[in-house]
Amino acid sequence: MSDVGKRDSASVDSEGKQLPRRRRGLLGLYYNPITQIVMLGFVCFMGPGLYNALNGLGGAGQLDASTSANSNAALYSTFAFFAFFAGSINNKFGPRLTLLIGISGYAIYIGSFLALNLHKDAKGFVIAAGAIDGFCAGLLWTAQGSLMLAYPAENQKGLFIGIFWGIFNLGGVVGAAVSLGQNFKSTASSTFLLAVLQALIHRLFGVFAVADGTYIVFLILASIGVLIPMLMADPSKMFRSDGSKVTTPRHPSWKTEIFGLWVTLRSDPAIVFLFPMFFASNWFYTWQFNDYNGALFDIRARSLNNLVYWLAQMFGSISIGLLLDSGWLQRRVRAFAGWTVLFCMVFIVHIWAFFYQRNYTRQSVDPSVYTPIDIYDKDYPAHIWLYIFCALLDSMWQTTAYWMMGAMSNDPAKLAFLTGFYKSIQSAGAAGVWRADAIHLPFMNIFLSTWVLLVAGLLFALPMLYLRVKNYTDYEDETMQVSHCVAFSVTDDQYRARMDDEGNVIPLEKLGDYDRP
């Protein structure tokens, strides 16, 4: 009997076309797209996840938060700039090598704080490590996006995204738990795993200091993350669950990227209403991490706060997501309901926080004169509940911003450019506020700027919701009104177009699936 005769019905698709034979056994498990998305999740678990956990301690665990703030300012500045070039690098080297280079920056960043603990004059190295990590972060998230789009079949995208983000967010949770176990100084909180890690660190490095141990554990985990991309399968040798071949989408060149942003802005100017919301989307981390958690609490309380912060993040994103995707509400109703929830959360969090912020300054919480809050102090429960609400606001804000962009269009290429605006403006804002904290701008100034920007972001977004969010996506939302452009000279003759997978603007008449309106 021929090989074809031996194949069962599962080897033929709905149109009767022959599908490739699937690998079986351990090799089949290795090349399974779900296995690879799990590995991708653990790469980001060991990199951005631990970065989140470290910064969530306030000042990256340092008593003087200015070095951490300067490092983050450098990180977001390089991230905002080099993100435009990351697509070209990913096209040249492929997603696995790009992912490896990207994750390496996080190991350097974490290692720089260990160096600072051991050598107090290493502040320049920490800032340089932040700049390097910003470049690497652009590479990592570009490669992650390529693989995330490549692995799943059409009916598995939600599952794969859920698997990835679940594992990635656990990085912040586990990193915070490790820090808490290292810094709790209580046998009741020590686990067997942490005891083994502490003993191993003491044996290898001769240190048993709490802060050094935390950084070394983080550095070991980040170094493991560097190894994972080298173990991942070549996407070109993989097949999806429906039998189709995995192909990683090519990213546009940096010239096409910049031109595409201009075309998107010109064809859909309503996106400008979301810019203040984008700008504020990472602004609040500085006050939350450095000027609240880092300023008021001892290291044990900061570690516990950090743990509950990332746990609350998971709950907040799920809860607002359920509201925004509610099938029993029309899309416009869901849009305004989500906006209302955010507006209420902004005022609940910041009115509550104002009553704390007005009672302390940078001078009053100087370590030489201030006794930080501990988890056993009577004031601690109310303070940690505020931090939980800060986490809920953060996760709800990020989720709603992405949902609003998705409500403007279903065209993946157009959404890619909207996301480009989001990450660039977000990073620019973050770089500015981290630098403001580094030069010791008063806590109250940073707090009030955070509050004002969040309110302004919501108020500016309101007209966009009213004008653009509809119960059903119109044809015009799937295309763009584009002026003829020759060597960047724009004429008055306009036509409707879409973007292809590489970000090129193609007239509808040249696309087989669409006709010129």
Side-chain angles (χ1 to χ4, degrees):
M1 184 180 292
S2 67
D3 289 341
V4 175
K6 291 179 182 179
R7 293 180 184 267
D8 55 25
S9 59
S11 300
V12 180
D13 66 11
S14 59
E15 298 179 356
K17 296 180 180 179
Q18 201 74 48
L19 296 179
R21 184 183 295 276
R22 295 182 183 177
R23 297 179 175 91
R24 299 184 181 277
L26 292 177
L27 198 60
L29 179 64
Y30 172 68
Y31 281 100
N32 190 303
I34 291 182
T35 302
Q36 295 300 311
I37 205 68
V38 168
M39 295 178 73
L40 180 63
F42 275 104
V43 171
C44 293
F45 176 114
M46 305 294 188
L50 294 180
Y51 167 85
N52 288 340
L54 189 61
N55 277 277
L57 288 170
Q62 298 289 316
L63 290 177
D64 180 8
S66 60
T67 302
S68 169
N70 275 321
S71 182
N72 281 323
L75 188 156
Y76 282 107
S77 296
T78 54
F79 188 1
F81 178 76
F82 284 107
F84 288 109
F85 304 91
S88 299
I89 296 174
N90 185 73
N91 291 342
K92 179 70 174 178
F93 295 111
R96 287 191 304 167
L97 182 56
T98 305
L99 200 65
L100 187 150
I101 299 172
I103 187 67
S104 300
Y106 289 91
I108 296 172
Y109 178 85
I110 293 170
S112 70
F113 284 98
L114 176 61
L116 182 61
N117 257 25
L118 300 176
H119 304 283
K120 297 304 179 184
D121 57 349
K123 294 181 179 180
F125 174 54
V126 175
I127 296 172
I132 293 170
D133 193 24
F135 166 73
C136 292
L139 297 181
L140 181 139
W141 288 111
T142 299
Q144 180 271 339
S146 292
L147 295 174
M148 178 68 73
L149 292 172
Y151 289 146
E154 187 63 32
N155 62 345
Q156 292 182 316
K157 290 184 178 180
L159 172 65
F160 277 53
I161 292 173
I163 292 173
F164 170 81
W165 284 104
I167 297 172
F168 162 58
N169 283 330
L170 280 176
V173 174
V174 172
V178 169
S179 176
L180 178 61
Q182 287 280 339
N183 297 319
F184 201 82
K185 300 181 182 180
S186 171
T187 56
S189 69
S190 297
T191 65
F192 176 75
L193 175 60
L194 288 174
V196 171
L197 284 172
Q198 289 170 338
L200 179 62
I201 290 166
H202 180 62
R203 172 74 65 179
L204 293 177
F205 300 96
V207 297
F208 213 62
V210 170
D212 288 353
T214 300
Y215 290 128
I216 292 171
V217 171
F218 276 38
L219 183 57
I220 290 172
L221 293 175
S223 299
I224 294 172
V226 173
L227 299 176
I228 296 176
M230 294 187 286
L231 303 176
M232 295 177 68
D234 185 350
S236 64
K237 298 180 180 179
M238 293 174 56
F239 294 89
R240 302 184 182 94
S241 60
D242 61 1
S244 59
K245 188 175 178 60
V246 170
T247 56
T248 56
R250 290 181 60 82
H251 289 264
S253 68
W254 66 270
K255 292 181 180 179
T256 303
E257 185 85 26
I258 295 174
F259 182 63
L261 292 175
W262 179 83
V263 170
T264 302
L265 185 61
R266 181 180 175 87
S267 64
D268 197 353
I271 189 66
V272 172
F273 288 117
L274 291 182
F275 282 4
M277 190 176 189
F278 295 171
F279 192 79
S281 61
N282 268 9
W283 189 279
F284 42 69
Y285 285 136
T286 302
W287 185 84
Q288 292 176 4
F289 292 165
N290 277 15
D291 303 343
Y292 181 71
N293 193 33
L296 293 182
F297 303 91
D298 63 19
I299 188 62
R300 172 165 61 180
R302 285 156 63 181
S303 299
L304 181 57
N305 293 348
N306 195 25
L307 176 61
V308 299
Y309 185 93
W310 296 112
L311 286 171
Q313 282 255 352
M314 299 171 71
F315 176 79
S317 60
I318 292 172
S319 60
I320 195 70
L322 290 174
L323 172 62
L324 295 172
D325 286 342
S326 298
W328 51 279
L329 291 175
Q330 292 184 330
R331 187 158 70 172
R332 282 180 63 84
V333 175
R334 283 180 271 143
F336 288 106
W339 185 93
T340 303
V341 169
L342 283 185
F343 193 82
C344 293
M345 284 292 295
V346 166
F347 278 90
I348 290 172
V349 167
H350 289 86
I351 290 174
W352 188 352
F354 175 78
F355 286 99
Y356 293 148
Q357 180 58 82
R358 67 177 182 173
N359 293 323
Y360 70 93
T361 64
R362 290 189 184 274
Q363 292 72 31
S364 68
V365 296
D366 187 276
S368 62
V369 297
Y370 175 69
T371 302
I373 299 173
D374 187 62
I375 60 174
Y376 295 116
D377 292 347
K378 63 179 181 179
D379 293 337
Y380 179 72
H383 282 78
I384 193 174
W385 271 109
L386 172 60
Y387 208 53
I388 290 172
F389 272 77
C390 287
L392 294 175
L393 172 60
D394 172 23
S395 58
M396 290 178 177
W397 189 278
Q398 311 296 345
T399 302
T400 305
Y402 275 107
W403 186 91
M404 287 181 179
M405 287 185 285
M408 296 181 71
S409 176
N410 288 329
D411 181 5
K414 184 176 179 179
L415 288 175
F417 287 110
L418 297 183
T419 305
F421 276 120
Y422 178 67
K423 298 305 293 183
S424 296
I425 295 171
Q426 178 190 68
S427 298
V433 71
W434 281 113
R435 179 57 185 161
D437 192 58
I439 62 175
H440 296 160
L441 202 68
F443 288 154
M444 182 61 80
N445 290 23
I446 295 177
F447 171 78
L448 291 177
S449 71
T450 301
W451 194 351
V452 169
L453 280 174
L454 290 173
V455 174
L458 289 174
L459 292 179
F460 274 97
L462 195 57
M464 193 285 295
L465 293 182
Y466 180 78
L467 296 172
R468 288 298 313 276
V469 177
K470 304 168 185 176
N471 291 327
Y472 302 97
T473 303
D474 290 341
Y475 178 80
E476 287 78 9
D477 296 329
E478 296 303 307
T479 60
M480 299 180 296
Q481 189 78 11
V482 182
S483 298
H484 281 287
C485 183
V486 179
F488 294 93
S489 176
V490 181
T491 70
D492 293 330
D493 185 19
Q494 294 188 330
Y495 61 92
R496 298 214 67 84
R498 288 179 68 108
M499 295 182 191
D500 65 10
D501 290 337
E502 296 188 14
N504 299 310
V505 179
I506 307 297
L508 292 186
E509 63 183 6
K510 294 185 179 181
L511 295 176
D513 295 335
Y514 299 94
D515 297 316
R516 181 188 290 268

